[in-house]
Every structure is written in structure tokens, then in C-alpha cells.
């Protein structure tokens, strides 16, 4: 067993054999390679290189997630130490909270003997060197998160281009703590947990869960969080640090797996004090080879070299699994971007081109209005019922008709209105003859009672149509923001004129009903004749019935009170009754006529508005430079459209390049994830 372990470690670190012979001889030696790079092979490297190329293209800004190693753990679990051991660079270390922002570590292999190291955050770039990485990270963290102990979710990216490091990206997150210390906000746990969940939730994330051997794994908050997003543990690898501090029971912890770590465990010993990375690896190998308890743990789950090997294998498998979906998302995003780009207005170079574009906007909007306002074709807005205009207008008209004809008559004693009018309109003439003036007076009262309703209705109709027209104008002029305000203003002016004209017309329609009493509708005579058949019985009940009833059942009216009518003469009651039946029969005709006239006028006005007035009003507005119009304004591309055009061009270019990168690798690795 020991020889096997020695063989594994020596192969992973070529200088180890010499170091074992003389541990102090290599104190100042620089490793040829970081431990993680020695685990690459010809099949994995192309996969990692592909993802790194995509990352360099910044495809993630298009919302496309890439497989990334995310390092999480409770506070002081040793996360940063694991990262620096893997990469062979120094990171901030110490007691308490060391990492206070997401540290995105981008390692890039370089053939140059001189390393390039720099930090990026927000729009700031800071160059540093290997000896001062930790100090530079601390200074940048203070700028981002403040000089205290608070945290921030603004990422800090560390770029390391040097020989001996792999092309790989790892994210170190702040350690999870439940109890804030002095200088930390009370909601420190919520801040850090929200940050952790954001990074580990994507299915492309590989969760490197760092656990201290000194704690009970089942109580670790990082375990609880990772299980929320990765219930089966299929993308979670656990690293157990500080094995030398709590060797008792560690074998049982990593073999029992009470917390469902699907990708298994790796036990490590991190660098202590001023040890070099090679010295730390030598001490780690000796610890797991010679310690009476730790030596019982299988060789294939101990040591930083083993962790490096597992990570590269896991990441290679994850990349291979994700590549087809990444390719699909790139194609989908590119199609959407190209479609949006093609919808942008053509950059116009002359007034003639601008005029043609304007007429196209007006023509398209006019055709749309014809379809939805006149023809009842709502295929353009299948799911927006508010734009199914003919149906909505019909509903509004039916509602108006029901409301108008359902108008309840003012409560008054039966026939008293008619009697009062007749007494005031009486003149010298034949008896039982109803003066026309009295009928018109009663009619005028009825019309006055409903005259506000048609006006309110027509205003409501045009308010609705104005919303529809405004929506259509906005849709078809959206690509020309420099003139959109002028076109919208023309639409508002048109609707204002139309509404005013319509209100005046409706007032005329209503007023006409007060000035004349005419209809050729035969229903009037039929209704009046039927209603007058009860006249004699009614008069007898009022004047001659010995029982003097208080109520009388009248067809069409129900029970009406009659006791108050006994003081009037029979001829006056006959006149009042006749007038009541005439006005009741005629009023039904009047209400229907008002509804019919409004319906006809509305259809005529809408057609006229769309076919003629709409285009005239907009053209007049656009040629009137005094009103802020002017077709020449269309030659000026607005900053927002210009920015959108440039953004889409860059996006399409990025996605095309990304597509080429993925296409070069996806076919030859299509079956790797299943092996």
C-alpha cells in the first residue's frame, strides 16, 4: 500500500524523490508545475481549452453558463488554502473571514517565462506580481467591500498567466458564518448564503465543498446549501482539510458518507506557515503514509495531487455533458440577436429614403387599424383581447343599449306628470283632444333624463379607440424613436378632434328627439293600440268602482296606485292615460333609434378615421417643422438605437465566434460524458 502511494505522489510531483532524500535542499525551489496541471491528458485538455476560449470571449455575458468550479465552505474551513495549494499561488490567509467577495481565479497557461498577474473589478485593472498577490487582493477587497469585515457580491477576478498553471477557472466564495462578529452587518448570513446559492445553483457549476476534519459534517452549513441545489450530490466533491488536527474517526466520516457527497471525498493537508508548496506536498505525503490512523485511508482519496486529478476529470466530464446544451443556447441566442438586429431601421442617407420609411410606417399602422377596428381580424394580437376591437366595440354598444333601455322612470304617482302637463297646456278647443305641445313637453322630460348617457358613451368609445391607436402607432414607429413622439402627438390631436366632433354630433342626435315626434315604425301603433285596450277598465276602477280600490293591475305596468286620481274628471284621466300609453310606446322607439344612430355614426366615423384622416393628420404633423416634426429627423439615428445596433453587432460577433469554438470540439467529444 505504501509503495503504491509513493508511486502515485512521485508521479504527480517529479521533484518529490529528491526532496525526500533531502527535504531542506528544495526549500527555495519553484515547482515545475502546479499540482492540478499534472492531471491533464490529451483528451481532457481540449475540453478545458474550449471552455477557457469561451470564457475569454466572455460568452457568459450573453447569459450562457459555463462549467465552473465553485469553492464553498463554512468560515475558516480552509477554502483559500486549498485553492492556493492547487494553483501554486499565494492567497490571503488567516483567522476569521479572509474572502469577503467572490474571488474568480482565472488561471491561463503561458509559454512566457515571465508571469502576468492582474486583478479586475468593476472597470478597474490592477497589475501585481506573485510576491504581492495576497496584498493586492486584500487592497482590492477593501475597495469593493469596505475596509471592515463586511462582504459584497461584486466579483473580483484574479488573472494569472504563467507557465505551469492550467487553463481553468475557480471561484472562491466567502466562508459561511451564522453569527456576525464586530464590524459585520447583522444579516451577514443572509448576504453570504444568497451569494453562495447564486453561484452553486446553475447545473453547470461543480461544487467543491471544503469541510474541516475538526467538525461534524452533518452540521456544516455548506453541506446544507449544496444539497438544496444538488440533492443527489452528482456535481459535489468534498475536500476534507486539517486532517492532521483531527485524525480520529476521519476514515469513518469519509467512508460512511452521511451527507451524500456524490463525487466522493479527498482528504488533504494544506500548507502551514512559511512552507513552500513542495515542502507542503512532502509533508502531506508523509502524513498520510506514516500516521497510524490516516495511513488507513485509501491512497486514491488523499492528497492535493489526487484532488487535482479528480477535479480535472470531473470538469472534463461536466464540460462534455454540457457542450451540446451550450451549443444549443449559443445558436438560440444568436438567432434571437440576428432577428432583433434585422428589425432595426435601416440607416437612411437621404430625405427620399426617410419619406419612404415614413410612408411605410403610416401604411403599416393604417393596415393594422383597418384589420382590428373595421374588419375584425385580430390575428395580429391573438392573445390580447383588448385589441380585439370590433368585439369590444360591440360589447360596449350592447352594454350602452341595455343601460339606456333599462333606465328606470323617476318615481312619481301614476299619471301625475301627464296630468300636470295637460293642465298647463290646456286651451280652448274640442274636448279629449291631446295638444301636441303637451306630448312634446313630456317627451322633452324623458330625453333630458337620458341625454348625458349617449355623450358619456361616445367619449368612452373614443377613449378606448385612442388607446388602441396609440398602441398600434407605438408598435410600428418603435424603430424610429426620433419621430415617434411626433407621430404619437398627431394621433392624440386626431383623437381630440374626432372626440369633439362626435360629442357635438351625439348632442344633435339627442336634441333632435326633443324637437319632433315622428316614426314610421309600425311597432308604435301596435304597442299603443294594445296598451289602450285597458283604458276603460282603468277609468271605471278609478271613478266608478264602489269598492274604491287603492291599486289597479295594468298590463305592461304591473300594480299601479290609483287612489290619488279620484279627484280628477274622467276626460282628464282619459287624456292622461292616452298620453301615458303614447309616450311609453314612442319612447321605446326613441331609445332604439338613438342606439341605432350611434352605432351607424360610430362605424362611419371609425372607417373615415382609418381610411382618410389618420394618414392626413400624421403627414401634416411630420411636414410641419414648427410643431417639432420634420422628416429630416429620421436621418438622425437616436443614441438608444445606435447603442442597441452596436450591442447586437458585438453580441452576434461573439456568439458566432463561440459557435465556431464549440463546433470544433463538440462532435469528437459527444460520447465522453457517458464513458
Amino acid at each position: 500500500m505504501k509503495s503504491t502511494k509513493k508511486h502515485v505522489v512521485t508521479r504527480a510531483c517529479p521533484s518529490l524523490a529528491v526532496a525526500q532524500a533531502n527535504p531542506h535542499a528544495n526549500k527555495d525551489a519553484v515547482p515545475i508545475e502546479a499540482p492540478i496541471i499534472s492531471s491533464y491528458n490529451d483528451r481532457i485538455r481540449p475540453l478545458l481549452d474550449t471552455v477557457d476560449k469561451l470564457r475569454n470571449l466572455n460568452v457568459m455575458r450573453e447569459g450562457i453558463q459555463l462549467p465552473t468550479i465553485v469553492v464553498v465552505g463554512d468560515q475558516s474551513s480552509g477554502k483559500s488554502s486549498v485553492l492556493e495549494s492547487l494553483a501554486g499561488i499565494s492567497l490571503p490567509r488567516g483567522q476569521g473571514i479572509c474572502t469577503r467577495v467572490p474571488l474568480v481565479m482565472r488561471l491561463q497557461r503561458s509559454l512566457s517565462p515571465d508571469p502576468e498577474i492582474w486583478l479586475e473589478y468593476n472597470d478597474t485593472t490592477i497589475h501585481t506580481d506573485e510576491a504581492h498577490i495576497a496584498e493586492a487582493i486584500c487592497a482590492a477587497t477593501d475597495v469593493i467591500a469596505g475596509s471592515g469585515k463586511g462582504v459584497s457580491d461584486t466579483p473580483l477576478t484574479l488573472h494569472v498567466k504563467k507557465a505551469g498553471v492550467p487553463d481553468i477557472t475557480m471561484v472562491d466564495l466567502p466562508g459561511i458564518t451564522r453569527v456576525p462578529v464586530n464590524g459585520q452587518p447583522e444579516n451577514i448570513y443572509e448576504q453570504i448564503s444568497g451569494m453562495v446559492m447564486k453561484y452553486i445553483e446553475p447545473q453547470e457549476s461543480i461544487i467543491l465543498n471544503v469541510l474541516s476534519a475538526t467538525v461534524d459534517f452533518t452540521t456544516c452549513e455548506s453541506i446544507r446549501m449544496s444539497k438544496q441545489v444538488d440533492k443527489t450530490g452528482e456535481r459535489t466533491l468534498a475536500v476534507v482539510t486539517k486532517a492532521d488536527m483531527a485524525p480520529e474517526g476521519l476514515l469513518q466520516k469519509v467512508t460512511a458518507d452521511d451527507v451524500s457527497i456524490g463525487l466522493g471525498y479527498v482528504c488533504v493537508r494544506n500548507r502551514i506557515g512559511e512552507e513552500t508548496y513542495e515542502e507542503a506536498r512532502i509533508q502531506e505525503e508523509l502524513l498520510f503514509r506514516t500516521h497510524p490512523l490516516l495511513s488507513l485511508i485509501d491512497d486514491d482519496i488523499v492528497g492535493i495531487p489526487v484532488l487535482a486529478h479528480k477535479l480535472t476529470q470531473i470538469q472534463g466530464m461536466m464540460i462534455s455533458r454540457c457542450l451540446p446544451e451550450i451549443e444549443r443556447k449559443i445558436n438560440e441566442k444568436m438567432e434571437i440577436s440576428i432577428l432583433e438586429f434585422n428589425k432595426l431601421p435601416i440607416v437612411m442617407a437621404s430625405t427620399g429614403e426617410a419619406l419612404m420609411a415614413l410612408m411605410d410606417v403610416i401604411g403599416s399602422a393604417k393596415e393594422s387599424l383597418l384589420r382590428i377596428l373595421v374588419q375584425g381580424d385580430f390575428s395580429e394580437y391573438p392573445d390580447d383581447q383588448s385589441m380585439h376591437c370590433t368585439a369590444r366595440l360591440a360589447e360596449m354598444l350592447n352594454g350602452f343599449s341595455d343601460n339606456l333601455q333599462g333606465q328606470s322612470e323617476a318615481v312619481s304617482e301614476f299619471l301625475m306628470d301627464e296630468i300636470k302637463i295637460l293642465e298647463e297646456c290646456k286651451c280652448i278647443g274640442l274636448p279629449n283632444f291631446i295638444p301636441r305641445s303637451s306630448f312634446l313637453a313630456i317627451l322633452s322630460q324623458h330625453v333630458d333624463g337620458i341625454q348625458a348617457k349617449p355623450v358619456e358613451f361616445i367619449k368612452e368609445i373614443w377613449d378606448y379607440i385612442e388607446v388602441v391607436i396609440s398602441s398600434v402607432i407605438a408598435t410600428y414607429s418603435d424603430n424610429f424613436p426620433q419621430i415617434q413622439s411626433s407621430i404619437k402627438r398627431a394621433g392624440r390631436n386626431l383623437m381630440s378632434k374626432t372626440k369633439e366632433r362626435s360629442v357635438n354630433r351625439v348632442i344633435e342626435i339627442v336634441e333632435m328627439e326633443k324637437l319632433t315626434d315622428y316614426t314610421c315604425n309600425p311597432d308604435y301603433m301596435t304597442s299603443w293600440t294594445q296598451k289602450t285596450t285597458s283604458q276603460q277598465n282603468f277609468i271605471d276602477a278609478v271613478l266608478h268602482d264602489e269598492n274604491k280600490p287603492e291599486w289597479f293591475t295594468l298590463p305592461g305596468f304591473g300594480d299601479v296606485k290609483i287612489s290619488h286620481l279620484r279627484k280628477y274628471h274622467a276626460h282628464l284621466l282619459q287624456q292622461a292615460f292616452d298620453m301615458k300609453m303614447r309616450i311609453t310606446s314612442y319612447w321605446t322607439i326613441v331609445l332604439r333609434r338613438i342606439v341605432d344612430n350611434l352605432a351607424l355614426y360610430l362605424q362611419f366615423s371609425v372607417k373615415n378615421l382609418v381610411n382618410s384622416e389618420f394618414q392626413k393628420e400624421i403627414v401634416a404633423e411630420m411636414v410641419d417643422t414648427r410643431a417639432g416634426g420634420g422628416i429630416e429627423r429620421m436621418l438622425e439615428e437616436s443614441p438608444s438605437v445606435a447603442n442597441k445596433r452596436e450591442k447586437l453587432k458585438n453580441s452576434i460577433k461573439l456568439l458566432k465566434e463561440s459557435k465556431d469554438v464549440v463546433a470544433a470540439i463538440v462532435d469528437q467529444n459527444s460520447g465522453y460524458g457517458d464513458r
Side-chain angles (χ1 to χ4, degrees):
M1 180 175 180
K2 299 295 182 267
S3 61
T4 303
K5 182 179 292 186
K6 182 177 180 180
H7 175 68
V8 171
V9 177
T10 304
R11 183 177 57 186
C13 187
S15 59
L16 181 57
V18 176
Q20 285 176 317
N22 185 359
H24 301 288
N26 286 322
K27 186 172 183 179
D28 299 321
V30 178
I32 297 174
E33 291 181 332
I36 199 169
I37 199 171
S38 61
S39 300
Y40 279 27
N41 60 39
D42 293 338
R43 186 170 58 180
I44 295 177
R45 180 175 290 283
L47 293 169
L48 301 180
D49 288 348
T50 297
V51 168
D52 196 63
K53 289 175 184 177
L54 292 175
R55 209 179 299 276
N56 286 334
L57 288 171
N58 204 11
V59 75
M60 294 180 76
R61 76 182 183 192
E62 298 293 330
I64 297 172
Q65 295 289 340
L66 296 177
T68 304
I69 299 170
V70 181
V71 186
V72 298
D74 291 2
Q75 186 172 303
S76 302
S77 60
K79 296 180 295 77
S80 298
S81 297
V82 170
L83 270 180
E84 68 174 15
S85 295
L86 285 169
I89 59 174
S90 297
L91 297 174
R93 305 165 71 202
Q95 295 297 318
I97 186 167
C98 300
T99 306
R100 299 192 291 123
V101 299
L103 178 63
V104 183
M105 230 168 59
R106 294 194 58 189
L107 309 180
Q108 295 172 274
R109 181 181 39 164
S110 173
L111 299 178
S112 171
D114 300 319
E116 296 178 57
I117 302 172
W118 71 97
L119 294 169
E120 287 180 355
Y121 58 94
N122 298 330
D123 296 322
T124 304
T125 301
I126 298 175
H127 290 271
T128 185
D129 54 40
E130 287 188 90
H132 299 92
I133 290 178
E135 292 88 338
I137 290 175
C138 289
T141 299
D142 287 345
V143 174
I144 297 171
S147 57
K149 297 180 181 179
V151 298
S152 170
D153 62 358
T154 300
L156 170 62
T157 302
L158 170 64
H159 294 264
V160 179
K161 290 182 68 174
K162 61 177 288 191
V165 301
D167 293 322
I168 199 168
T169 296
M170 295 180 283
V171 181
D172 185 20
L173 297 177
I176 304 165
T177 178
R178 279 194 171 276
V179 181
V181 298
N182 291 334
Q184 288 183 332
E186 290 298 318
N187 65 340
I188 186 71
Y189 170 75
E190 287 76 13
Q191 288 188 40
I192 295 177
S193 61
M195 196 186 311
V196 169
M197 295 300 287
K198 172 184 172 182
Y199 279 88
I200 67 175
E201 191 167 10
Q203 293 302 303
E204 297 82 2
S205 294
I206 300 166
I207 305 171
L208 189 60
N209 208 322
V210 180
L211 310 170
S212 172
T214 61
V215 302
D216 181 357
F217 295 168
T218 60
T219 65
C220 291
E221 189 67 16
S222 62
I223 288 290
R224 189 188 68 81
M225 288 186 183
S226 63
K227 288 183 71 173
Q228 286 185 29
V229 298
D230 183 28
K231 297 185 185 303
T232 61
E234 64 180 356
R235 53 188 181 91
T236 301
L237 175 66
V239 183
V240 183
T241 62
K242 305 178 183 179
D244 52 331
M245 297 175 61
E248 294 82 5
L250 183 57
L251 175 61
Q252 288 73 22
K253 282 185 177 181
V254 298
T255 53
D257 188 19
D258 294 329
V259 290
S260 300
I261 302 296
L263 296 178
Y265 295 80
V266 178
C267 303
V268 300
R269 173 196 179 275
N270 287 327
R271 187 165 64 98
I272 299 174
E274 298 301 318
E275 288 179 345
T276 65
Y277 295 107
E278 287 203 357
E279 287 175 344
R281 297 290 67 77
I282 293 169
Q283 295 303 318
E284 179 183 61
E285 194 278 336
L286 290 173
L287 174 69
F288 286 108
R289 180 165 57 85
T290 62
H291 192 282
L293 295 176
L294 298 179
S295 62
L296 300 176
I297 303 175
D298 289 344
D299 291 351
D300 58 359
I301 61 169
V302 297
I304 288 292
V306 169
L307 174 61
H309 178 75
K310 280 183 176 287
L311 276 178
T312 53
Q313 295 294 321
I314 291 168
Q315 190 171 34
M317 182 174 62
M318 180 67 80
I319 293 171
S320 181
R321 183 190 305 168
C322 293
L323 276 177
E325 180 64 13
I326 291 173
E327 183 180 40
R328 186 193 67 78
K329 288 181 179 178
I330 289 173
N331 290 334
E332 182 181 275
K333 291 279 186 180
M334 188 164 65
E335 288 175 5
I336 293 173
S337 296
I338 291 173
L339 187 63
E340 285 190 43
F341 185 82
N342 291 336
K343 286 182 179 179
L344 291 175
I346 300 172
V347 179
M348 289 165 287
S350 67
T351 304
E353 288 182 1
L355 181 59
M356 290 179 64
L358 174 63
M359 296 311 296
D360 184 59
V361 169
I362 296 173
S364 298
K366 178 180 174 181
E367 287 298 318
S368 178
L369 290 172
L370 274 173
R371 287 192 296 272
I372 63 177
L373 279 172
V374 179
Q375 299 168 2
D377 177 0
F378 51 81
S379 57
E380 194 173 350
Y381 302 91
D383 300 321
D384 187 355
Q385 291 192 341
S386 66
M387 298 296 282
H388 301 175
C389 298
T390 54
R392 301 293 81 78
L393 291 174
E395 286 177 356
M396 295 168 76
L397 187 65
N398 290 336
F400 167 70
S401 177
D402 293 341
N403 178 265
L404 193 64
Q405 297 187 58
Q407 175 83 1
S408 59
E409 191 174 340
V411 177
S412 64
E413 292 182 299
F414 189 64
L415 294 188
M416 288 309 300
D417 289 340
E418 287 76 14
I419 289 174
K420 290 177 182 178
I421 293 292
L422 286 168
E423 287 184 328
E424 293 302 315
C425 293
K426 62 186 176 183
C427 58
I428 299 173
L430 295 173
N432 297 329
F433 184 82
I434 301 176
R436 182 167 181 266
S437 59
S438 63
F439 184 85
L440 290 177
I442 289 290
L443 178 62
S444 180
Q445 286 183 356
H446 279 64
V447 173
D448 288 343
I450 58 94
Q451 65 179 354
K453 289 182 177 293
V455 174
E456 292 171 358
F457 168 71
I458 203 67
K459 287 180 179 179
E460 181 185 356
I461 286 288
W462 288 118
D463 286 344
Y464 166 70
I465 293 176
E466 182 174 1
V467 172
V468 171
I469 289 178
S470 177
S471 177
V472 170
I473 286 175
T475 298
Y476 286 96
S477 63
D478 194 45
N479 285 335
F480 301 95
Q482 63 270 48
I483 61 165
Q484 192 175 58
S485 60
S486 298
I487 296 178
K488 286 183 175 180
R489 182 168 58 248
R492 289 193 299 271
N493 292 341
L494 174 60
M495 294 309 303
S496 178
K497 295 175 185 176
T498 303
K499 186 185 295 185
E500 182 180 1
R501 184 172 63 244
S502 296
V503 167
N504 292 334
R505 176 60 178 156
V506 169
I507 291 174
E508 286 182 353
I509 290 173
V510 175
E511 286 295 316
M512 284 191 298
E513 296 295 347
K514 295 168 65 174
L515 300 177
T516 185
D517 51 345
Y518 170 79
T519 181
C520 63
N521 191 328
D523 288 349
Y524 167 70
M525 288 303 298
T526 301
S527 175
W528 173 70
T529 301
Q530 290 174 346
K531 292 180 185 301
T532 54
T533 57
S534 303
Q535 183 180 32
Q536 191 57 51
N537 292 335
F538 176 80
I539 299 298
D540 290 342
V542 174
L543 300 177
H544 306 303
D545 193 326
E546 295 180 356
N547 296 323
K548 298 186 182 303
E550 188 174 354
W551 299 86
F552 180 80
T553 302
L554 188 64
F557 294 88
D559 292 335
V560 295
K561 192 174 182 180
I562 60 174
S563 57
H564 63 284
L565 299 175
R566 291 194 169 92
K567 61 183 177 180
Y568 297 103
H569 293 292
H571 73 275
L572 182 58
L573 291 177
Q574 290 172 349
Q575 285 182 315
F577 187 90
D578 188 34
M579 182 178 289
K580 183 72 173 180
M581 300 307 113
R582 288 180 184 274
I583 200 69
T584 300
S585 299
Y586 184 64
W587 186 240
T588 302
I589 303 296
V590 169
L591 294 180
R592 290 175 181 172
R593 188 159 57 201
I594 289 175
V595 173
D596 289 346
N597 282 334
L598 284 182
L600 292 172
Y601 176 71
L602 179 60
Q603 290 189 70
F604 169 78
S605 299
V606 169
K607 284 185 179 180
N608 189 52
L609 174 78
V610 175
N611 286 327
S612 176
E613 296 176 346
F614 179 74
Q615 182 168 321
K616 289 180 182 178
E617 188 72 30
I618 293 179
V619 171
E621 175 75 23
M622 291 305 301
V623 299
D624 185 2
T625 55
R626 295 172 301 173
I631 296 175
E632 292 78 8
R633 291 180 60 194
M634 296 182 70
L635 302 177
E636 308 166 5
E637 187 169 53
S638 70
S640 61
V641 174
N643 290 338
K644 185 177 182 180
R645 187 187 303 279
E646 187 64 24
K647 182 179 178 182
L648 287 172
K649 282 173 62 178
N650 292 336
S651 178
I652 292 169
K653 180 176 180 292
L654 181 154
L655 290 167
K656 283 183 176 178
E657 292 177 357
S658 300
K659 181 180 180 180
D660 292 340
V661 168
V662 174
I665 191 72
V666 71
D667 291 337
Q668 58 182 296
N669 293 281
S670 59
Y672 177 69
D674 299 326
R675 296 181 187 177

